[in-house]
């Protein structure tokens, strides 16, 4: 069965995925250029993600959507297990949002230009002014009643376990007094860990757990630490036993 699945990936999935990626890029760029960037920056990508997962026959289970209030902006924070985190969140969170992503992703063929036109946020850590510009852009997006999705580890795991959380997302939540909503991803590391980028996809169920949002308890350092610590505990609590516990990520 493993080799049949691999043959399917080469002969059927890969050509369809490339066509879907091109169509998504074109519709995102043209739609964002001519019309509503919030609409065209989200819905084509959402469809692309769902199509990708369904073409690979990967089962998806989502828990906790009832925790999200209609019309509320959130800073979503998730563990970063692998590249399929993108497809899972984009396709199944059912919330219009912008990504905060590494600056290097701007150079990716098709995806980089689509992300730029969709006004996703590229994180630039090259210096204080660049960092400030990134924060200002994220603040502007959140003030437009959009939500934001951040991987606060800043890098994908090498082991399936979580590393540490950086403070940037929690600084934004503190400044704008927004709730942080933790997300736990399970299965993405098993489907394609970062050590096997571009290799075979391995069939494995995916699960997205949406935890109770964590609301600010005040302002300043104490509130940021509270949001960060409580979010970390929540995300960790949703991981399967195999990946419980902190493991240092040398890429952080």
């Amino acid at each position: 069965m493993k080799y049949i699945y691999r043959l399917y990936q080469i002969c059927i999935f890969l050509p369809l995925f490339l066509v879907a990626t091109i169509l998504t890029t074109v519709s995102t760029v043209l739609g964002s250029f001519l019309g509503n960037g919030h609409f065209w920056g989200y819905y084509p990508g959402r469809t692309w993600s769902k199509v990708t997962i369904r073409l690979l026959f990967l089962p998806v289970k989502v828990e906790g959507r009832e925790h999200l209030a209609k019309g509320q902006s959130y800073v979503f924070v998730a563990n970063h297990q692998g590249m399929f985190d993108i497809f899972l969140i984009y396709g199944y969170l059912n919330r219009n949002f912008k990504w905060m992503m590494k600056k290097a992703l701007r150079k990716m063929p098709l995806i980089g230009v689509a992300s730029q036109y969709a006004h996703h946020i590229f994180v630039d850590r090259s210096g204080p002014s660049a960092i400030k510009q990134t924060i200002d852009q994220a603040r502007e997006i959140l003030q437009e009643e959009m939500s934001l999705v951040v991987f606060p580890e800043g890098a994908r795991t090498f082991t399936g376990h979580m590393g540490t959380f950086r403070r940037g997302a929690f600084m934004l939540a503190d400044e704008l007094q927004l709730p942080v909503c933790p997300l736990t991803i399970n299965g993405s590391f098993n489907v394609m860990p970062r050590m096997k980028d571009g290799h075979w996809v391995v069939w494995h169920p995916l699960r997205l757990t949406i935890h109770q949002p964590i609301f600010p308890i005040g302002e300043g350092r104490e509130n940021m630490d509270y949001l960060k610590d409580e979010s970390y505990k929540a995300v960790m609590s949703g991981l399967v036993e195999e990946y419980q516990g902190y493991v240092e990520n040398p890429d952080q």
Side-chain angles (χ1 to χ4, degrees):
M1 186 61 73
K2 177 175 73 172
Y3 295 106
I4 293 175
Y5 191 45
R6 289 182 175 181
L7 184 62
Y8 167 81
Q9 289 177 45
I10 293 174
C11 298
I12 298 177
F13 167 73
L14 188 56
L16 291 176
F17 175 73
L18 290 174
V19 170
T21 302
I22 292 169
L23 290 175
T24 300
T25 300
V26 171
S27 60
T28 299
V29 170
L30 287 179
S32 298
F33 180 74
L34 297 173
N36 186 341
H38 288 337
F39 178 91
W40 292 102
Y42 171 66
Y43 285 98
R46 177 189 176 193
T47 302
W48 170 69
S49 297
K50 282 192 170 184
V51 166
T52 299
I53 286 179
R54 288 173 179 173
L55 282 173
L56 289 166
F57 308 109
L58 301 174
V60 173
K61 182 177 182 180
V62 181
E63 302 170 323
R65 281 204 189 107
E66 68 277 6
H67 296 150
L68 301 180
K70 186 177 180 179
Q72 172 68 58
S73 293
Y74 295 99
V75 178
F76 291 100
V77 296
N79 59 313
H80 207 358
Q81 281 205 335
M83 65 177 295
F84 274 78
D85 300 347
I86 308 298
F87 300 119
L88 182 60
I89 292 177
Y90 221 157
Y92 293 90
L93 182 59
N94 286 4
R95 202 79 177 193
N96 199 331
F97 65 85
K98 301 297 183 186
W99 292 101
M100 284 191 75
M101 57 181 69
K102 285 185 175 181
K103 181 183 176 182
L105 295 176
R106 191 194 297 265
K107 299 178 181 178
M108 283 189 68
L110 300 177
I111 293 172
V113 67
S115 297
Q116 186 171 348
Y117 272 87
H119 301 295
H120 295 303
I121 300 165
F122 294 97
V123 179
D124 187 345
R125 297 191 179 94
S126 59
S129 62
I131 293 173
K132 182 181 183 300
Q133 185 176 356
T134 299
I135 296 295
D136 289 344
Q137 186 181 359
R139 183 191 301 112
E140 184 178 337
I141 291 295
L142 287 167
Q143 288 173 339
E144 294 175 358
E145 298 185 354
M146 291 289 293
S147 291
L148 198 63
V149 174
V150 186
F151 295 114
E153 293 169 276
R156 288 175 291 163
T157 177
F158 286 99
T159 64
H161 297 261
M162 285 169 58
T164 56
F165 277 5
R166 292 175 172 170
R167 295 179 59 203
F170 309 101
M171 290 172 62
L172 278 171
D174 173 69
E175 181 177 338
L176 298 176
Q177 290 294 285
L178 288 174
V180 175
C181 186
L183 307 172
T184 300
I185 293 168
N186 281 292
S188 178
F189 183 77
N190 303 82
V191 171
M192 186 178 284
R194 68 179 296 180
M195 305 84 72
K196 295 185 178 180
D197 281 351
H199 286 59
W200 303 109
V201 172
V202 176
W203 187 94
H204 194 281
L206 295 166
R207 189 173 84 225
L208 176 65
T209 303
I210 303 169
H211 297 277
Q212 288 272 8
I214 301 167
F215 287 82
I217 57 169
E219 295 183 34
R221 180 62 180 267
E222 183 179 353
N223 180 52
M224 283 186 279
D225 289 343
Y226 167 77
L227 294 173
K228 181 167 71 75
D229 294 344
E230 292 301 309
S231 296
Y232 194 91
K233 291 176 190 175
V235 176
M236 181 72 77
S237 72
L239 284 172
V240 296
E241 185 176 356
E242 180 182 2
Y243 299 125
Q244 284 283 331
Y246 163 79
V247 172
E248 183 181 2
N249 185 339
D251 206 20
Q252 286 193 297

